[in-house]
Amino acid sequence: MKPRLKPRELVLYEYLKRRRSLSKEEIKKYRRLDRGYQGEVLFDQYLERLSSNFLLLKDLWLSHHNRAFQLDHILLFHNTLYIFEIKNYPGEFYFQNEQLYLDSGEEIDNPLIQLRRSKSLLRQLLQQLEWDIPVVAAVVFINPECSLFQTPRNSNIILPTQINRYLRQFENEVPLNPAMHHVMNHLESVQLEHSPYEQLPTYHYNDLKKGIPCTSCDFFITIVEGKKCRCQNCGQSEFVQTAIIRNVEEFMFLFPDERVTSEQIYAWCRLPISLERIRYHLKKHLKSKGIKKGTYYIQ
DNA sequence: TCCGTCGAATAGTGCTTCTG
DNA sequence: CAGAAGCACTATTCGACGGA
């Protein structure tokens, strides 16, 4: 099973939090994204235990009549599609009049409404292609510390304690209809590249702390010993080349429009090593474009 | 056009790992 | 175990740029 990729927004926050302070709003958003991602990874682990009579699509953004919708998990069985929306909320919640509230009484978005919309749009998308495939949808509250009260009956909500029992229904599935491969390939081919609702925080090169963050404690690496560099804070050591390339990837992610030159990366890594050494690794791990002055590197 | 500066390429060095 | 091969790194060379 292909590992689930972290959403771009989450990766961006992880990079930014090491290099500048986040605002309260940014911290809130970062935590929400991280929790969501952890929930999806957790559900992936449940699915890994299932037999192999199904296909799985992860993290698809689709669009039908200009209305975008996201599907965390799509499972394709013999002749049915299952879509699951994962909620990793910790704490206590209750339903009242089709609305979802925090224990404190604050109303939050009802995932059932979002799910209903996704299901409807997916079904329309399939119908347009003349695929008459039933779609089953459910919201999975995956956090073991989540309690839901007054859950509406037949509401397609799966609570943490019900997940295993729910998934057991798939154990005796008949072999997959080969046509489902076409459905999967089609859905993959029409997926949107990014979330249309993605709101990336703004940041500027000059505001970001330069250096290479340690892989285990985020402290900036300052010690180079031979081929390895070491974190002064936790002692974690890493090959200089992997640390540089890791930091180059981060630079490319943060500044996709900037050219990766040896000088640029020399300043970005801020390691006590020569510019030539940086250049050596760039040349080795990336493709160089241009000659002499102005040479830059691409993946 | 000349010349100083900057920056990339390249040849060379020393160390490690592989192989017969 | 010795020589070959590969790798990481450095010193030097060479070319481009730009100001006078």
Side-chain angles (χ1 to χ4, degrees):
Chain A
M1 210 184 272
K2 267 189 286 178
R4 176 176 294 270
L5 294 175
K6 280 188 185 178
R8 268 166 28 111
E9 269 181 289
L10 176 58
V11 173
L12 180 55
Y13 278 110
E14 284 182 350
Y15 285 162
L16 285 184
K17 79 176 164 72
R18 306 187 293 208
R19 298 187 184 270
R20 73 154 164 79
S21 54
L22 299 182
S23 70
K24 273 187 181 174
E25 279 306 306
E26 287 172 338
I27 291 171
K28 235 168 126 178
K29 188 155 187 197
Y30 165 58
R31 291 205 179 126
R32 188 170 58 72
L33 287 166
D34 187 47
R35 202 170 52 212
Y37 174 72
Q38 298 304 338
E40 287 167 21
V41 168
L42 198 57
F43 192 63
D44 284 339
Q45 289 167 7
Y46 277 100
L47 296 180
E48 271 169 26
R49 294 178 220 144
L50 285 178
S51 66
S52 55
N53 280 342
F54 69 96
L55 298 170
L56 173 63
L57 286 167
K58 298 177 181 180
D59 266 336
L60 283 196
W61 272 98
L62 298 169
S63 174
H64 183 68
H65 288 322
N66 268 331
R67 282 174 297 167
F69 59 106
Q70 188 192 20
L71 302 168
D72 295 338
H73 295 83
I74 310 176
L75 272 70
L76 300 88
F77 284 96
H78 172 65
N79 62 354
T80 309
L81 279 181
Y82 285 80
I83 60 175
F84 295 104
E85 169 74 25
I86 312 302
K87 292 295 169 201
N88 190 14
Y89 301 151
E92 300 192 344
F93 304 85
Y94 63 93
F95 274 98
Q96 201 165 47
N97 304 329
E98 288 225 346
Q99 275 144 16
L100 183 60
Y101 297 88
L102 286 172
D103 192 38
S104 61
E106 189 189 337
E107 185 185 346
I108 57 170
D109 285 342
N110 182 353
L112 287 172
I113 294 169
Q114 187 191 339
L115 184 73
R116 199 179 301 154
R117 176 177 176 274
S118 303
K119 180 181 173 180
S120 163
L121 288 169
L122 175 64
R123 214 168 33 212
Q124 291 172 46
L125 189 73
L126 294 170
Q127 274 166 8
Q128 191 185 39
L129 298 158
E130 297 183 352
W131 277 326
D132 189 19
I133 307 170
V135 176
V136 178
V139 175
V140 183
F141 285 84
I142 203 155
N143 196 306
E145 289 177 23
C146 169
S147 305
L148 266 184
F149 299 104
Q150 300 166 56
T151 310
R153 285 193 169 274
N154 308 319
S155 59
N156 301 321
I157 285 178
I158 304 167
L159 298 170
T161 50
Q162 301 169 326
I163 299 172
N164 280 323
R165 187 148 37 98
Y166 182 89
L167 293 177
R168 228 169 276 148
Q169 67 173 297
F170 300 125
E171 274 172 10
N172 299 313
E173 268 291 321
V174 292
L176 191 73
N177 180 343
M180 282 300 196
H181 285 278
H182 295 298
V183 178
M184 179 173 87
N185 292 339
H186 181 80
L187 290 179
E188 263 184 328
S189 70
V190 297
Q191 68 176 306
L192 308 178
E193 209 167 308
H194 302 300
S195 154
Y197 308 120
E198 200 173 65
Q199 283 184 319
L200 303 177
T202 54
Y203 52 92
H204 303 285
Y205 180 84
N206 289 339
D207 301 334
L208 301 186
K209 194 172 173 188
K210 315 297 182 294
I212 303 181
C214 167
T215 48
S216 65
C217 75
D218 283 357
F219 203 81
F220 282 79
I221 296 168
T222 51
I223 304 167
V224 175
E225 294 161 330
K227 292 175 186 179
K228 290 190 162 183
C229 49
R230 186 161 52 82
C231 172
Q232 197 179 3
N233 186 45
C234 73
Q236 166 92 359
S237 84
E238 185 183 9
F239 281 106
V240 171
Q241 58 168 323
T242 57
I244 292 173
I245 296 308
R246 185 163 63 75
N247 222 38
V248 169
E249 282 165 4
E250 186 171 328
F251 180 85
M252 288 173 158
F253 183 93
L254 289 170
F255 305 102
D257 298 329
E258 286 288 323
R259 285 194 165 176
V260 174
T261 63
S262 50
E263 187 71 21
Q264 184 77 273
I265 297 306
Y266 180 67
W268 179 246
C269 291
R270 199 168 279 182
L271 275 187
I273 58 172
S274 69
L275 175 66
E276 286 72 23
R277 191 165 169 186
I278 295 273
R279 188 177 296 134
Y280 169 79
H281 289 297
L282 290 179
K283 201 177 148 70
K284 189 158 176 226
H285 296 275
L286 302 167
K287 280 189 210 128
S288 65
K289 284 265 174 185
I291 47 156
K292 300 288 172 186
K293 227 181 178 93
T295 296
Y296 60 98
Y297 300 85
I298 54 167
Q299 268 179 330

